Amino acid sequence: IDDAAYDALRRRRSDLAVAWPGLSSENAKVGSAPSRAFAEARHAKPMLSLENAFTPDDVGDFCDAIRSFLSIGLFEPLEFHAEPKIDGLSMSLRYENGELVTAATRGDGQEGEDVTANIRTIKEVPQKLKGKNLPPVVEVRGEVYMTKADFLKLNERQKEAGAQIFANPRNSAAGSLRQKDPSITASRPLGFFAYAWGEISERPEDTQSGMINWFERCGFTTNPLTKMCRSVEELIAFHRKIGEQRAGLDYALDGVVGKFDRGDR
């Protein structure tokens, strides 16, 4: 099913859990268990799922929750780092002393698949971070994806070879990365957008926007459509604009992510 239908079902389930707290919550986790085809890789910090906002009122509630949690006055402005949510495969890249040592899929959020050898074949993933005074340990998180144009070309080659046809760019990116033979992954046109971090021994910037700029200085690609929004209205307007641009973009999206930009978030 598409993302909108999935999100609606997930929200319905959450509402039922609130209305009927006695019901079993054994199936509440979102994500998938790591494949046995790869070694397991436990995340130093969990890769959590995002909360959804479906209406402007939901966005307003999100902002109210931030003000309440951080004791921010009603008239004090809130700044958000807003970015298109790429529909790809979430990835955590661990660097020690600037060198890439481990790459892991999200998996169930606590434990993923060790796909380091395959990740090393993606040009947009630095093997060594640029710059000086790098944190001894930093986990850079982002999305592995495939453009729509490359997806169509890949499926054409797969069809000619009598091989598997992928359903969409996300499936093609996931299938390409989960190859036991890294040379197959290397032959697939995969990209990577950096947008967050996990464990980090020393944070070089205080804000989300500052960290995005730091990722760029380290050699990563970040989404050029990312924008600073200085009010709820700007955040909603950005979401609307991305929705209008969505069909013309060369990569699949499943929404917009808004992150509070202050350092104490």
Side-chain angles (χ1 to χ4, degrees):
I1 62 175
D2 62 28
D3 292 317
Y6 172 83
D7 288 342
L9 287 172
R10 184 181 171 206
R11 183 167 188 172
R12 183 185 177 196
R13 189 198 182 287
S14 297
D15 290 343
L16 286 171
V18 172
W20 301 91
L23 293 177
S24 172
S25 60
E26 291 179 357
N27 298 318
K29 290 185 178 180
V30 177
S32 58
S35 167
R36 293 183 179 179
F38 295 91
E40 296 176 350
R42 189 159 191 85
H43 301 302
K45 286 195 173 182
M47 295 185 73
L48 304 176
S49 56
L50 299 172
E51 290 296 330
N52 291 314
F54 294 94
T55 68
D57 286 343
D58 290 340
V59 179
D61 291 342
F62 168 62
C63 295
D64 290 343
I66 289 174
R67 289 187 184 278
S68 175
F69 185 74
L70 296 177
S71 300
I72 298 174
L74 183 61
F75 298 105
E76 186 177 345
L78 298 180
E79 292 190 339
F80 297 93
H81 191 264
E83 59 199 41
K85 186 175 183 297
I86 307 301
D87 190 14
L89 185 68
S90 297
M91 188 63 51
S92 185
L93 310 173
R94 185 178 179 87
Y95 290 83
E96 296 180 0
N97 299 316
E99 301 278 353
L100 176 64
V101 294
T102 309
T105 62
R106 180 179 182 274
D108 62 7
Q110 301 289 336
E111 198 170 72
E113 303 150 321
D114 186 333
V115 291
T116 310
N118 293 14
I119 279 290
R120 290 187 187 279
T121 69
I122 300 178
K123 294 180 180 178
E124 291 182 355
V125 173
Q127 302 298 307
K128 183 177 178 62
L129 300 181
K130 296 178 181 178
K132 299 178 180 179
N133 300 318
L134 297 169
V137 174
V138 56
E139 290 179 347
V140 179
R141 291 178 174 176
E143 207 83 1
V144 175
Y145 72 100
M146 185 178 292
T147 66
K148 296 175 183 176
D150 285 334
F151 162 69
L152 293 174
K153 292 176 183 177
L154 174 61
N155 260 356
E156 193 62 35
R157 294 197 300 270
Q158 293 288 99
K159 183 178 179 181
E160 291 174 358
Q164 176 189 1
I165 301 298
F166 295 106
N168 52 55
R170 185 192 185 284
N171 283 0
S172 63
S176 297
L177 192 64
R178 288 190 173 102
Q179 296 292 324
K180 291 297 291 181
D181 182 356
S183 67
I184 298 178
T185 303
S187 71
R188 305 282 175 82
L190 298 174
F192 181 80
F193 278 133
Y195 56 64
W197 62 94
E199 182 180 26
I200 185 167
S201 52
E202 183 179 348
R203 205 165 72 185
E205 298 288 344
D206 290 334
T207 62
Q208 171 70 21
S209 55
M211 286 297 294
I212 291 294
N213 292 333
W214 184 74
F215 290 154
E216 293 175 354
R217 296 197 298 272
C218 287
F220 287 97
T221 299
T222 62
N223 196 303
L225 296 180
T226 296
K227 181 182 178 181
M228 285 297 299
C229 298
R230 292 174 169 81
S231 68
V232 176
E233 292 74 22
E234 284 190 21
L235 190 57
I236 293 172
F238 178 73
H239 178 271
R240 188 179 301 113
K241 181 178 179 181
I242 292 298
E244 294 169 353
Q245 296 177 333
R246 184 175 183 174
L249 296 175
D250 196 25
Y251 44 78
L253 301 179
D254 55 359
V256 166
V257 181
K259 300 174 182 177
F260 185 51
D261 197 51
R262 215 166 78 181
D264 58 0
R265 66 194 182 289

